């Protein structure tokens, strides 16, 4: 081998090894499910059930609620057959503060073949407590208006090895009105 070529290979190898300053990451070979939901703002018209004097705005203990149907699309991204056992959704106010969490468990789990999509509808309910929290953090309190975000998360496992799946979350903006 040419002497200068050998020197160049040794120099390039040494240079490459000196560039690595920390351990190389190890990524598990597991299923990944991406969630897609509507990204346009969804409005919930929540009634105020306690309109008596001295009770402005929604009552956190009131029983008023509103629901909206959301189309949820799950796409398996890593070509692994997976089972989705739980859908979770979390409510956040405009400041990013967690307000509430809800979930739906699937028995039997929803099975998704590797690389395929599964679409279904879930009904999301916003009660007076959630509406009041969103209202209080978004501008004037007790004005019957608030904004926030719903974060959607799935849990499940790989059908071949039983490993827990990873999830790419979805975020949907929401607003509440009377």
């Amino acid at each position: 081998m040419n002497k200068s070529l050998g020197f160049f290979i040794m120099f390039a190898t040494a240079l490459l090894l000196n560039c690595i300053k920390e351990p190389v990451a190890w990524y598990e070979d597991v299923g990944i499910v991406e969630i897609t939901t509507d990204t346009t703002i969804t409005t919930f018209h929540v009634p105020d059930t306690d309109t008596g004097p001295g009770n402005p705005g929604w009552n956190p203990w009131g029983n008023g609620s509103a629901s909206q149907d959301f189309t949820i699309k799950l796409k398996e991204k890593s070509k692994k057959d997976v089972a989705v056992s739980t859908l979770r959704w979390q409510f956040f106010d405009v400041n990013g503060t967690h307000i509430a969490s809800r979930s739906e468990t699937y028995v039997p789990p929803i099975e998704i073949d590797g690389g395929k999509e599964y679409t279904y509808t879930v009904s999301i309910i916003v009660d007076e407590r959630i509406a009041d929290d969103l209202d209080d953090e978004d501008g004037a309190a007790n004005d019957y208006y608030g904004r926030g975000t719903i974060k959607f998360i799935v849990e499940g496992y790989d059908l071949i090895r039983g490993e827990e799946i990873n999830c790419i979350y979805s975020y949907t903006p929401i607003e509440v009105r009377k």
Side-chain angles (χ1 to χ4, degrees), residues 20-39:
I20 300 172
K21 301 218 184 278
E22 56 190 58
V24 177
W26 177 269
Y27 295 98
E28 296 180 58
D29 184 26
V30 296
I32 300 169
V33 175
E34 178 181 41
I35 307 168
T36 305
T37 57
D38 194 357
T39 57

Side-chain angles (χ1 to χ4, degrees), residues 60-78:
W61 301 276
N63 59 4
S65 65
S67 68
Q68 292 284 352
D69 289 339
F70 282 74
T71 299
I72 309 288
K73 182 171 79 172
L74 306 176
K75 179 171 175 79
E76 200 294 316
K77 304 284 281 182
S78 64

Side-chain angles (χ1 to χ4, degrees), residues 7-160:
F7 176 75
F8 175 75
I9 291 173
M10 285 184 2
F11 178 74
T13 303
L15 183 62
L16 180 63
L17 291 176
N18 284 330
C19 290
I20 300 172
K21 301 218 184 278
E22 56 190 58
V24 177
W26 177 269
Y27 295 98
E28 296 180 58
D29 184 26
V30 296
I32 300 169
V33 175
E34 178 181 41
I35 307 168
T36 305
T37 57
D38 194 357
T39 57
T40 59
I41 195 160
T42 302
T43 303
F44 291 84
H45 292 280
V46 180
D48 179 10
T49 59
D50 187 6
T51 58
N55 292 320
W58 285 293
N59 183 344
W61 301 276
N63 59 4
S65 65
S67 68
Q68 292 284 352
D69 289 339
F70 282 74
T71 299
I72 309 288
K73 182 171 79 172
L74 306 176
K75 179 171 175 79
E76 200 294 316
K77 304 284 281 182
S78 64
K79 309 286 190 240
K80 306 271 185 236
D81 295 345
V82 298
V84 173
S85 56
T86 306
L87 171 69
R88 296 193 185 285
W89 54 96
Q90 300 173 333
F91 295 91
F92 293 89
D93 66 21
V94 292
N95 299 317
T97 303
H98 179 263
I99 294 174
S101 295
R102 305 288 188 267
S103 65
E104 199 168 88
T105 302
Y106 305 109
V107 178
I110 298 169
E111 293 187 6
I112 305 171
D113 294 335
K116 303 287 185 186
E117 290 182 5
Y118 182 86
T119 303
Y120 66 102
T121 302
V122 64
S123 186
I124 304 293
I125 298 171
V126 173
D127 59 23
E128 280 190 73
R129 186 184 72 76
I130 293 170
D132 184 57
D133 286 344
L134 293 175
D135 178 16
D136 290 349
E137 292 302 317
D138 184 13
N142 301 323
D143 65 351
Y144 294 109
Y145 178 78
R147 291 176 297 133
T149 303
I150 301 176
K151 176 182 179 181
F152 291 94
I153 305 158
V154 292
E155 297 173 357
Y157 52 91
D158 178 306
L159 286 171
I160 303 297

